Amino acid sequence: MSAFDKTLQIRSSPHILSGNSVDHIMFHVVLALLPAAAFACFAFGLTAVLTLLVAVGACVGIEHVLCVANRKPSTVGDWSAVITGLLYGLTLPPGLPLWMVAIGGGIAIVVGKLVFGGLGQNPFNPALVGRAILQAAFPVAMTTWPVAMAEGRFSGLPSSLLTLPFLTPRYDGVTAATPLSAWKFDHHLAGTSDLALGFTGGSLGETCALLIGLGGLYLAARRMLNWRIPVAILATVALFAGILHLSDPARFAGPLFHLFSGGLMLGAVFMATDMVGSPLTHLGSVIYGVVIGVLVVLIRVFGGMPEGVMYAILIGNALVPHLDNLLRPRVYGTRAGKGAKA
Amino acid sequence: MNLPFRLQSFRHGVHPDDHKQGTEHLVVEHMPFVGRYVLPLGQGGKPAKPTVTRGQRVRRGERIATADGFVSTSLHAPVDGTIVDLGRHRHPNGDLVDCIEIEADAFSLQTIVPHATVDPDTLDVDNFVAHVQQGGIVGLGGAAFPAHVKYKTPAEKPVRHFVLNGCECEPFLTCDHRTMVERPAEVLRGARIIAKKLGATDIHIGVEHNKPDAIAALRAQVLPGEAIHVTPLEVKYPQGAEKMLIKALFGQEVPAGKLPLDVGCVVNNVGTMVAIADWFDRGIPLIERVVTVSGPGVRRPANVRVPLGTPVRDLLAHCAGTVPETREFVMGGPMMGSSLASIDVPVLKGTSGVLAFTAAETARGNEFGCLKCGRCLDACANFLNPSVLARLSRHGEFDALEANFVMDCMECGACSFTCPSNIPIVQLIRVAKSAIRDQKRKEKKP
């Protein structure tokens, strides 16, 4: 105990705090992500374990190194880099060469977060920034999907995983289309229960929608997650997809298929709700969710790509400063809360 | 909220643990007389003018300083004794201020010499207001604003509702709670006097519903057919802020920059009503008040009726002292009270509590960048955007701060309380507000 600890404290009120803290909240987000990550490891075996480890390691490592290099206290203790790494890892296809995983993780932290000034300053979700750049750089590798529940997934590693940097990965295992691309390009519809439970191909975290939803419920119950955002996104997707499905069932897939396929659940629950990139007000949160939901269905159904959650959320993030500016709450005792721009 | 129905309240706010269980059932005890009393001349409004000289003997209840101007109140001796000093002593806020120091007469029986009792019905408004001022009565909720000022209402602003504030939304404090439970007759007597004089059509008493015994005690005193409404309110901070209380009771907002009177309301604290009743009916001026001594650092938490001017050190000693782990002393509530740099300062008219906190409460986590999580927006009862105000304050953007209604902030501290990044939001806002006020003052006199 230093001498200072024994002195009387003189401070401005309030003298008690709620006990919320950023690192505490972030730690619980990590906890909530673990079931989905564990299921990914079960479904894809050692590949998933290595991919997630490298993704988290790259994110945490680069943040720590850059903090130290800038002679600043390391910020990895706030757990946010771990979340970025986990989320980013879960958006990747299993079997992606590890050197690509590491590069994308570095990009997520550096371009997605640190260049803006670190935690709290990033306009876009860092994990999605990393993935978006990776998708542009390595489009083929990012859309090659080994099948889930493959035989021998715990005994060996696919050769693509260990591809040396700058060499084209070679896929030796069985690859398959994701449910979304199977439906989009071949018009093959996967069963809803397979989708919800995660027995389909896709990114590591595109699989078990139910476990992701459970993680979300846990956080919402602890008031660590703005439930309005996932509810708005999922309801919008269900409604929009449902209307399309009713208009032409042969052409458009039903709402359940949309809800449980692809990265929608992961995106809606864990990425769109990133506090930094989501609106401040409740009404803003709902509008933000609706916009993302509409964009997801538009991109999936009418766009050139089978999946659009990533771009929908990034576009949603871009809208947030405008939503916050437009939807300022009405100050008590005034007619309107509109003042000069902050 | 685990209630089947929704209690009346304002919107937004925070729910701190109320920590009242340690003292809410403790009957108010009397503080024994001590050796010396220090009474700052300024205890609500402009400092009073002393009417005594050094060496003079005074009786308990005797006036020792008289109001200087309208927004000022008289001061009375809390004990029989001798004036030993008219000089500067340490105020709880840390400043050296003009005080009257009294050495108590160790051999006196300390019986109060009452002033003449007055029937309020015989006084016109001006004489009534002057008489309240003579009694040294200030708002006992904590701000210590001279009570009589609120009763001098302009004719064009009629009073419809006289509102009594029994919310006591500050955690730890139970002095108002005990006052309502133990002296409900005086609370209502004072309220009836004031409401009649103001010409108010009804009396509303807002009490947070964590004080069911206080609500029952007050209701038992209401006569059949009397327009007095005791309303249970949701337990939420800052429910006891005047404007929040009015919103909770009437669903009406006080326009920004205006007073409750502009919506036909006058708001007083319940403790103030007891002081009014004692002054008119018994001729006892404001010479003591109920103080809650609590917090994890206090060995024997208590509600104590304390003569004004009693040193905090003696009050704490009366409560069996504090534990060695004590790291912070707070005068007032934990949300809006102020830290004490020394416990050798007196209890004032506005002292609702003396709290002692240990390292467990004073520890602060790391400060993080603002995550824009929006918790402070949900906390702010004035519907400001505290996160933006804090950021603008750090950058000294005074014009933008004013455009974002920084001057409407009542500094309740709900934003800082709830901030997961541990940003001292309300402190930054205070800095900005005082800088803006300084700037305005300079512009006025070039």
Side-chain angles (χ1 to χ4, degrees):
Chain A
M1 187 182 275
S2 73
F4 179 75
D5 291 331
K6 290 184 178 173
T7 59
L8 272 188
Q9 310 259 319
I10 310 294
R11 64 156 57 93
S12 181
S13 66
H15 305 278
I16 50 172
L17 297 182
S18 59
N20 291 329
S21 77
V22 168
D23 42 1
H24 184 71
I25 295 173
M26 295 288 180
F27 176 70
H28 281 274
V29 175
V30 172
L31 283 188
L33 272 170
L34 284 184
F39 185 85
C41 295
F42 167 67
F44 296 104
L46 291 176
T47 314
V49 177
L50 275 181
T51 305
L52 290 176
L53 280 179
V54 170
V56 173
C59 288
V60 174
I62 194 98
E63 181 161 322
H64 184 73
V65 166
L66 287 181
C67 284
V68 170
N70 282 305
R71 295 190 178 78
K72 286 182 178 164
S74 177
T75 51
V76 297
D78 62 23
W79 290 92
S80 68
V82 178
I83 297 180
T84 299
L86 261 183
L87 283 176
Y88 159 73
L90 288 172
T91 63
L92 298 177
L96 186 72
L98 290 177
W99 66 273
M100 293 186 191
V101 175
I103 284 182
I107 290 172
I109 290 295
V110 176
V111 181
K113 186 164 105 176
L114 294 185
V115 290
F116 295 105
L119 181 63
Q121 305 294 326
N122 46 301
F124 298 102
N125 187 314
L128 289 179
V129 171
R131 187 189 197 273
I133 292 177
L134 219 54
Q135 172 126 31
F138 309 109
V140 178
M142 287 294 285
T143 48
T144 306
W145 316 94
V147 291
M149 307 294 165
E151 292 285 326
R153 61 188 186 276
F154 293 110
S155 54
L157 291 169
S159 54
S160 65
L161 196 69
L162 303 173
T163 308
L164 290 172
F166 308 111
L167 294 182
T168 311
R170 199 167 50 78
Y171 290 89
D172 48 7
V174 189
T175 62
T178 64
L180 276 169
S181 47
W183 166 71
K184 185 163 190 110
F185 302 121
D186 306 329
H187 235 79
H188 167 78
L189 204 57
T192 305
S193 62
D194 275 355
L195 286 170
L197 296 174
F199 296 104
T200 55
S203 298
L204 295 174
E206 286 192 358
T207 54
C208 191
L210 285 183
L211 283 177
I212 294 168
L214 273 181
L217 283 179
Y218 168 77
L219 288 179
R222 299 194 71 125
R223 292 172 184 249
M224 291 174 175
L225 176 138
N226 184 351
W227 55 268
R228 292 167 190 87
I229 294 170
V231 168
I233 294 176
L234 298 176
T236 306
V237 167
L239 193 73
F240 194 6
I243 293 171
L244 289 175
H245 183 64
L246 283 181
S247 71
D248 186 355
R251 201 174 144 216
F252 301 110
L256 283 180
F257 174 78
H258 276 285
L259 283 184
F260 291 120
S261 61
L264 180 63
M265 212 42 103
L266 188 70
V269 174
F270 285 103
M271 294 182 176
T273 52
D274 175 19
M275 289 180 281
V276 183
S278 58
L280 287 167
T281 59
H282 297 171
L283 179 62
S285 303
V286 173
I287 295 175
Y288 166 80
V290 169
V291 168
I292 291 176
V294 168
L295 285 173
V296 166
V297 178
L298 279 180
I299 296 173
R300 279 183 179 182
V301 175
F302 302 106
M305 292 171 292
E307 176 61 307
V309 171
M310 174 175 77
Y311 292 112
I313 294 177
L314 288 173
I315 294 170
N317 286 157
L319 283 179
V320 165
H322 305 288
L323 285 174
D324 284 343
N325 230 339
L326 286 171
L327 298 172
R328 268 181 278 179
R330 184 185 64 83
V331 173
Y332 178 101
T334 62
R335 282 177 192 281
K338 290 199 171 62
K341 296 207 165 168
Chain B
M1 211 70 251
N2 50 2
L3 290 159
F5 58 94
R6 225 185 132 90
L7 286 154
Q8 280 168 257
S9 193
F10 64 101
R11 283 182 60 211
H12 287 182
V14 291
H15 296 92
D17 290 338
D18 72 6
H19 293 287
K20 293 180 194 272
Q21 59 284 350
T23 52
E24 65 188 346
H25 299 299
L26 300 179
V27 174
V28 174
E29 54 192 77
H30 280 263
M31 173 78 198
F33 292 100
V34 296
R36 277 174 191 248
Y37 293 81
V38 175
L39 294 125
L41 293 170
Q43 297 196 37
K46 197 175 170 203
K49 281 187 297 198
T51 55
V52 289
T53 52
R54 190 184 305 220
Q56 186 179 331
R57 285 195 49 83
V58 289
R59 299 297 312 274
R60 186 167 173 225
E62 186 181 332
R63 193 174 70 187
I64 54 174
T66 183
D68 182 17
F70 184 60
V71 188
S72 176
T73 52
S74 302
L75 211 52
H76 302 79
V79 285
D80 286 353
T82 312
I83 307 289
V84 291
D85 189 28
L86 296 170
R88 283 150 86 76
H89 291 264
R90 196 65 71 183
H91 186 278
N93 69 11
D95 289 342
L96 282 171
V97 295
D98 287 325
C99 297
I100 299 177
E101 186 180 4
I102 302 174
E103 188 177 77
D105 181 346
F107 301 101
S108 161
L109 290 176
Q110 300 292 5
T111 47
I112 296 183
V113 185
H115 294 244
T117 59
V118 175
D119 179 1
D121 292 343
T122 62
L123 298 174
D124 64 12
V125 172
D126 284 339
N127 283 323
F128 177 83
V129 167
H131 191 67
V132 173
Q133 188 177 20
Q134 296 282 316
I137 298 169
V138 301
L140 295 181
F145 187 72
H148 64 276
V149 177
K150 285 183 178 177
Y151 309 145
K152 175 93 180 141
T153 61
E156 69 274 12
K157 289 180 184 169
V159 178
R160 278 179 294 144
H161 311 294
F162 180 54
V163 180
L164 275 192
N165 189 345
C167 297
E168 200 158 53
C169 59
E170 279 270 13
F172 290 100
L173 300 188
T174 53
C175 53
D176 287 349
H177 183 175
R178 292 313 302 174
T179 299
M180 289 185 281
V181 170
E182 295 176 30
R183 304 191 68 192
E186 285 90 343
V187 171
L188 286 190
R189 167 64 181 156
R192 289 182 185 116
I193 292 174
I194 302 295
K196 192 170 178 189
K197 209 42 93 181
L198 290 170
T201 48
D202 52 13
I203 298 172
H204 288 263
I205 310 179
V207 186
E208 284 190 349
H209 84 103
N210 59 353
K211 303 181 245 306
D213 47 349
I215 294 167
L218 290 171
R219 281 187 173 153
Q221 298 288 330
V222 178
L223 303 173
E226 213 176 3
I228 298 181
H229 310 280
V230 183
T231 312
L233 301 172
E234 190 187 334
V235 181
K236 193 162 76 167
Y237 180 86
Q239 182 69 75
E242 275 188 340
K243 293 184 174 187
M244 306 308 126
L245 180 57
I246 288 171
K247 172 82 179 167
L249 288 173
F250 309 112
Q252 196 175 9
E253 289 186 4
V254 180
K258 302 275 185 174
L259 295 171
L261 191 56
D262 292 287
V263 292
C265 295
V266 170
V267 185
N268 265 170
N269 173 268
V270 288
T272 315
M273 290 302 100
V274 175
I276 294 275
D278 282 349
W279 176 230
F280 278 95
D281 295 347
R282 296 167 63 199
I284 301 173
L286 186 66
I287 54 169
E288 43 185 37
R289 68 154 296 147
V290 183
V291 179
T292 300
V293 184
S294 186
V298 174
R299 286 216 163 93
R300 188 181 68 84
N303 300 299
V304 192
R305 176 165 281 275
V306 187
L308 300 177
T310 302
V312 167
R313 182 182 295 277
D314 291 321
L315 176 58
L316 287 167
H318 173 68
C319 296
T322 51
V323 298
E325 294 79 30
T326 300
R327 291 289 172 273
E328 188 187 16
F329 293 101
V330 173
M331 186 172 270
M335 296 298 286
M336 286 191 80
S338 45
S339 288
L340 293 178
S342 159
I343 54 172
D344 293 312
V345 291
V347 167
L348 307 177
K349 289 179 179 178
T351 303
S352 46
V354 172
L355 308 175
F357 290 120
T358 61
E361 294 78 39
T362 58
R364 292 291 183 268
N366 291 336
E367 188 178 326
F368 297 93
C370 172
L371 292 192
K372 304 173 180 73
C373 66
R375 278 174 169 79
C376 54
L377 276 90
D378 284 346
C380 183
N382 267 331
F383 287 72
L384 304 173
N385 183 340
S387 63
V388 163
L389 295 178
R391 179 161 54 84
L392 291 173
S393 171
R394 281 216 162 111
H395 295 284
E397 299 271 358
F398 297 134
D399 292 340
L401 278 159
E402 279 198 82
N404 282 284
F405 299 90
V406 72
M407 298 317 267
D408 283 5
C409 171
M410 58 182 164
E411 302 175 19
C412 72
C415 47
S416 298
F417 172 80
T418 196
C419 180
S421 291
N422 292 317
I423 299 170
I425 303 175
V426 71
Q427 193 174 357
L428 288 165
I429 290 177
R430 283 189 190 115
V431 169
K433 281 173 76 175
S434 79
I436 289 172
R437 274 193 291 261
D438 279 356
Q439 207 176 27
K440 288 249 158 85
R441 223 170 287 145
K442 271 181 208 149
E443 280 165 13
K444 251 185 204 167
K445 43 175 184 183

